[in-house]
Amino acid sequence: MDNISRRSLISAGLGAGLVGALPGAAVATSIADDAGLRTDPFLLGIASGEPWPDGFVIWTRLALDPLAEDGLGGMPSRQVPVAWEVSEDPSMRRVVARGVEHARIETAHSVHVELKGLKPGREYFYRFRSGRHISPVGRTLTAPALHETPAALAMAFASCSQYEHGYFTAYSRLAAQDHPDLVLHLGDYLYEYKKDSYVIGGGNPRDHQGPETTTLQGYRQRHAQYKSDADLQAAHAIAPWLVVWDDHEVDNNWADEIPENRDAGQLNDTTERFRQRRAAAFQAYYENMPLRTSSVPAGFDMKIYRTIQWGQLANFHMMDTRQYRDDQLAGDGWRKNVAERLAENRTITGAEQEKWLLDGFRDSTQRWDILGQQVFFAERDRAQALEVDDVSMDGWDGYAASRRRITQGWVDAKVRNAVVLTGDVHRNWANDLKVDYKDPASPVVGSELVCTSITSTGNGTGSTTDPTMAWNPHLKFYNDSRGYVNTKITKDAMTADFRVLDHVTTPGSPVRTLRSFKIEDGVPGLQA
């Protein structure tokens, strides 16, 4: 698809038109005409995700007043029919599938359509209609057939978009300039804080609406505020997404059923209250993401770890490092000489998810096995002295045995190329991975690419120097700017461009490639 048509795709004007006169169109049109909505209900945009060889999920959520305090977007207290259609062309003339779903108040008038029966490895386009209102057109793809090895995959990944800390220019740059075929979002899609509680130097350029999110109404309102952003809508409209949460979609630094604050009098001071909060957050997360029905929450549980296969080229193992982890030791931050972090029984994944991942390594026939996960994977020791370690209790350093089991697992399974993708830390990093970081002779067995934030912590300093790199030689690159990572994956190599913006506290920054790395097939480790 050429650049001009991709850029025009993300404009609302392309959505203008009527449902085509194909078999079934009259029924779909008449049902959708019963919506009875006087103003545009597609203010939260559209999205797609979960590509498989014969289909994908397409999503929208109707809202007339996105910031309504009850979280229901100003919608009527009834179900609303929504017609959808999928086409082989962006002008929506070659429609190959259509139908009608009902947006229900029980799920905040969200719509999830799981498509089946399409052709593998193809580009498709989709839109929705409710009454006389038609959504923009989105672009999406099916995954290749399981036995096929496509020539290349353009994949971008991002994390940490704090609405208050800046403008989401990076999302629109990703859509208009990098044209990915797949986007991975690795957590902190939104933040839970109320206005003026998480403030950057110079003040926040934008504010959250409503109190800190603890209720279903609050999480729904917060998702709607984020989804109202035009830059974010552009990124969703350009390609299918694979999403996983980190902490802020629920509560800062939560671990399993343990909230950040447990002291008497704090916001979340009991397990039961946090379970209720987690259930509300999970419900709103599902309602607002293009996820399959296999991820529908069951109370305060929700399964989001899964593997998406991209033919024989790649496996994307999307992980959950929050819901099943042991509590962080010694508080949630950096601590020195915490011997318990090395305990064999500590886990960041839980036993079931760990087994799923190790089984996936053993079953893999793909060229690349890519872990989409949230927190820093490589060892990052701030203490220069050999007899001291100073590491983050929230990342994999706080769960060292869990990390070793996963790393040894891909080595034992003879995974051809293991690459870990990471978010969370609001900085760019590129790292070589080992089984034993204390042994200088331990071989490199994989690579980690860490994307910075979309906006979190503001503009950044632009620095490319971190002192810990001097005594952590496996840490190869660091940068404090905002942006995302754009990759190209082929059977011979994976290349990664660290795309950065000059500023985010005002809109419109250009984007540029600060540094690029290559990982060659069968050659563990990063090459500049």
Side-chain angles (χ1 to χ4, degrees):
M1 186 176 182
D2 63 80
N3 292 356
I4 295 176
S5 60
R6 288 199 191 194
R7 288 193 180 96
S8 64
L9 176 65
I10 62 176
S11 68
L14 197 57
L18 296 175
V19 177
L22 293 180
V27 174
T29 301
S30 63
I31 293 175
D33 279 342
D34 292 337
L37 302 179
R38 295 186 178 183
T39 59
D40 181 11
F42 297 109
L43 301 181
L44 305 185
I46 58 175
S48 70
E50 302 298 295
W52 53 89
D54 70 338
F56 37 73
V57 173
I58 58 174
W59 169 96
T60 194
R61 178 185 163 199
L62 306 185
L64 304 174
D65 177 14
L67 298 184
E69 290 184 2
D70 64 1
L72 296 176
M75 291 293 295
S77 299
R78 58 177 172 83
Q79 66 180 26
V80 177
V82 180
W84 57 267
E85 56 184 356
V86 175
S87 176
E88 295 179 329
D89 67 303
S91 60
M92 304 301 291
R93 294 193 178 105
R94 300 196 301 274
V95 174
V96 296
R98 60 159 44 91
V100 174
E101 296 287 332
H102 286 86
R104 293 176 167 83
I105 191 171
E106 293 84 1
T107 55
H109 291 97
S110 61
V111 174
H112 295 74
V113 181
E114 291 192 26
L115 273 296
K116 299 287 186 180
L118 301 178
K119 297 176 182 179
R122 299 293 184 92
E123 183 179 60
Y124 289 96
F125 302 87
Y126 64 97
R127 66 181 175 185
F128 299 89
R129 177 183 174 189
S130 185
R132 61 185 176 86
H133 305 288
I134 298 177
S135 77
V137 172
R139 169 183 175 264
T140 191
L141 291 89
T142 51
L146 296 181
H147 66 278
E148 293 179 346
T149 302
L153 169 64
M155 182 272 292
F157 65 99
S159 71
C160 302
S161 43
Q162 219 288 21
Y163 183 92
E164 299 177 298
H165 288 183
Y167 294 87
F168 292 165
T169 308
Y171 282 137
S172 60
R173 297 290 183 252
L174 179 154
Q177 296 188 26
D178 292 290
H179 318 302
D181 292 327
L182 184 67
V183 176
L184 274 58
H185 200 285
L186 302 180
D188 294 346
Y189 184 92
L190 52 71
Y191 282 69
E192 77 275 29
Y193 301 113
K194 67 179 181 180
K195 175 183 176 181
D196 293 333
S197 62
Y198 184 16
V199 181
I200 59 174
N204 291 342
R206 306 196 287 186
D207 291 323
H208 280 151
Q209 186 79 15
E212 178 166 339
T213 53
T214 60
T215 64
L216 182 56
Q217 298 97 309
Y219 284 110
R220 284 170 166 173
Q221 181 192 45
R222 187 63 50 82
H223 274 281
Q225 182 172 23
Y226 277 62
K227 278 291 200 308
S228 299
D229 186 276
D231 293 324
L232 177 55
Q233 289 186 15
H236 273 299
I238 200 64
W241 282 40
L242 299 178
V243 299
V244 285
W245 56 52
D246 189 20
D247 53 341
H248 291 289
E249 289 89 347
V250 181
D251 175 38
N252 182 53
N253 284 358
W254 68 282
D256 195 4
E257 297 181 24
I258 302 169
E260 178 183 24
N261 297 313
R262 287 178 290 174
D263 297 332
Q266 294 290 337
L267 188 62
N268 308 296
D269 59 350
T270 68
T271 299
E272 181 56 35
R273 288 172 65 183
F274 185 65
R275 285 174 175 172
Q276 294 172 8
R277 181 179 186 176
R278 208 174 90 167
F282 288 1
Q283 175 69 25
Y285 189 82
Y286 177 80
E287 290 170 352
N288 286 278
M289 294 295 171
L291 289 164
R292 304 184 200 185
T293 53
S294 56
S295 290
V296 170
F300 58 87
D301 292 322
M302 180 176 170
K303 184 178 178 181
I304 63 165
Y305 68 83
R306 72 265 189 216
T307 297
I308 302 295
Q309 296 182 12
W310 203 262
Q312 287 299 301
L313 184 64
N315 285 320
F316 291 94
H317 305 286
M318 306 301 292
M319 298 177 63
D320 180 351
T321 61
R322 289 290 166 190
Q323 190 174 183
Y324 313 106
R325 67 158 67 192
D326 293 323
D327 192 16
Q328 299 94 333
L329 294 167
D332 301 338
W334 293 76
R335 297 293 185 271
K336 293 181 179 179
N337 295 338
V338 180
E340 291 175 80
R341 75 182 184 89
L342 306 174
E344 287 295 322
N345 63 346
R346 282 187 59 73
T347 179
I348 195 171
T349 63
E352 183 178 327
Q353 183 179 190
E354 181 178 302
K355 181 179 184 301
W356 158 81
L357 186 58
L358 296 179
D359 288 346
F361 292 154
R362 285 188 286 268
D363 294 341
S364 176
T365 59
Q366 277 67 20
R367 189 68 61 111
W368 301 87
D369 278 270
I370 298 170
L371 282 62
Q373 61 92 47
Q374 297 79 10
V375 292
F376 210 90
F377 193 84
E379 183 173 272
R380 186 169 44 136
D381 188 351
R382 296 196 306 190
Q384 188 171 4
L386 292 177
E387 67 277 9
V388 177
D389 62 47
D390 183 7
V391 299
S392 171
M393 295 297 107
D394 190 54
W396 288 81
D397 277 333
Y399 305 81
S402 193
R403 175 177 58 201
R404 191 198 67 249
R405 291 191 297 269
I406 298 299
T407 309
Q408 190 66 55
W410 78 58
V411 173
D412 292 346
K414 296 181 171 55
V415 163
R416 186 161 178 158
N417 300 289
V419 180
V420 177
L421 307 182
T422 301
D424 182 61
V425 296
H426 310 161
R427 305 292 188 273
N428 287 311
W429 291 85
N431 311 316
D432 287 340
L433 299 178
K434 299 184 174 190
V435 175
D436 184 357
Y437 293 95
K438 300 303 183 186
D439 179 6
S442 181
V444 174
V445 297
S447 304
E448 180 180 22
L449 302 170
V450 183
C451 64
T452 186
S453 65
I454 292 290
T455 55
S456 300
T457 68
N459 293 329
T461 65
S463 171
T464 56
T465 302
D466 186 281
T468 62
M469 297 171 71
W471 53 90
N472 291 272
H474 55 281
L475 306 180
K476 301 297 184 181
F477 169 67
Y478 164 86
N479 162 251
D480 178 14
S481 298
R482 306 289 76 81
Y484 54 93
V485 179
N486 193 50
T487 74
K488 181 179 180 180
I489 305 170
T490 71
K491 63 183 181 64
D492 297 321
M494 178 176 178
T495 58
D497 297 330
F498 286 85
R499 305 279 279 160
V500 301
L501 281 69
D502 295 329
H503 55 84
V504 295
T505 53
T506 54
S509 172
V511 66
R512 57 192 169 88
T513 297
L514 178 66
R515 187 78 177 270
S516 297
F517 287 91
K518 177 187 286 188
I519 307 166
E520 292 188 353
D521 173 42
V523 184
L526 298 160
Q527 301 179 41

